[in-house]
Amino acid sequence: MCFRGCAKCLGYSLIPLAVCCIVANILLYFPNGETKYANNNNLTNFVWFFHGIVGAGVLMFLPAAVFIRLEHDNCAGCCGNVACGERCAMLSSVLVALIGLAGSGYCFIISALALQEGPYCMTGTTWEYPFANGNGGYLKDHNLWTRCLEPAHVVEWNITLFSILLTLSGVQVIICVVQIINGMIGGICGPCCCGEEYSMKA
């Protein structure tokens, strides 16, 4: 019960994180609330990777649902043995946590790359990535941000949203790693560590 209760808490914590990632990714398509840049494909290529919508968003609802259900899931027992069934359920949650880890890790990597490359913007007469070769140096030098003339404030827009995605997906990575450890320990020695619960049931 202790391991499954922990998994349930982790599952519930993934839901708001996933929703926030979806919203942040969607906002990246509309700098300053305008749709023309998406229509004209004048956005950084990284927004089309759907890392926040799919990777750290929709995909994360699967591990969240599995983690939450673990409290009442015992794989329909295992040869009539409830404790064995609960071990099976905990070990199967490790596989789902690995899927969540892949999705959140994908979002984390894409967000980091997007921050390093910088926004796609109009610098004068052409659209380009003015900070692409600066190894992310523009993040500390605010004076460089004036090189982007259009969309207005696109540097701040991208930094804010990609940083949110980077942070939230990083938290998701930690949650999935915790559940991998929790699931393995709970699957291998859960009844031993939570022996009081089983003695009470007996």
Side-chain angles (χ1 to χ4, degrees):
M1 182 66 181
C2 49
F3 295 106
R4 290 179 291 143
C6 175
K8 181 179 180 180
C9 292
L10 295 175
Y12 277 122
S13 65
L14 283 176
I15 295 175
L17 292 174
V19 172
C20 289
C21 285
I22 292 173
V23 172
N25 198 158
I26 291 175
L27 289 175
L28 282 168
Y29 295 103
F30 309 107
N32 304 314
E34 299 180 74
T35 61
K36 62 180 181 179
Y37 302 109
N39 293 334
N40 297 328
N41 198 25
N42 289 327
L43 299 172
T44 174
N45 287 330
F46 286 108
V47 304
W48 304 109
F49 283 68
F50 305 108
H51 55 295
I53 295 175
V54 178
V58 175
L59 187 63
M60 298 308 295
F61 289 114
L62 172 61
V66 171
F67 297 168
I68 292 170
R69 284 176 50 87
L70 275 177
E71 189 173 26
H72 305 290
D73 189 6
N74 62 7
C75 290
C78 180
C79 299
N81 190 316
V82 175
C84 179
E86 290 176 355
R87 282 185 172 187
C88 174
M90 288 299 295
L91 289 174
S92 65
S93 74
V94 174
L95 297 177
V96 181
L98 288 172
I99 295 174
L101 182 62
S104 56
Y106 170 69
C107 181
F108 186 89
I109 292 171
I110 296 299
S111 299
L113 291 174
L115 285 170
Q116 182 181 26
E117 184 173 67
Y120 182 70
C121 61
M122 171 74 77
T123 57
T125 58
T126 60
W127 287 84
E128 59 178 325
Y129 293 94
F131 314 118
N133 298 320
N135 293 320
Y138 77 99
L139 294 170
K140 298 179 181 179
D141 190 353
H142 295 188
N143 295 324
L144 295 176
W145 296 4
T146 56
R147 295 178 61 183
C148 281
L149 304 178
E150 189 180 356
H153 309 294
V154 68
V155 180
E156 297 94 318
W157 187 267
N158 275 25
I159 289 177
T160 299
L161 293 174
F162 277 119
S163 295
I164 289 173
L165 287 168
L166 184 75
T167 302
L168 296 182
S169 61
V171 174
Q172 290 176 335
V173 166
I174 294 173
I175 290 174
C176 289
V177 170
V178 169
Q179 179 52 30
I180 290 173
I181 298 172
N182 180 56
M184 291 181 68
I185 296 175
I188 295 172
C189 58
C192 300
C193 296
C194 301
E196 292 185 5
E197 177 190 354
Y198 290 98
S199 63
M200 290 177 65
K201 286 182 178 180

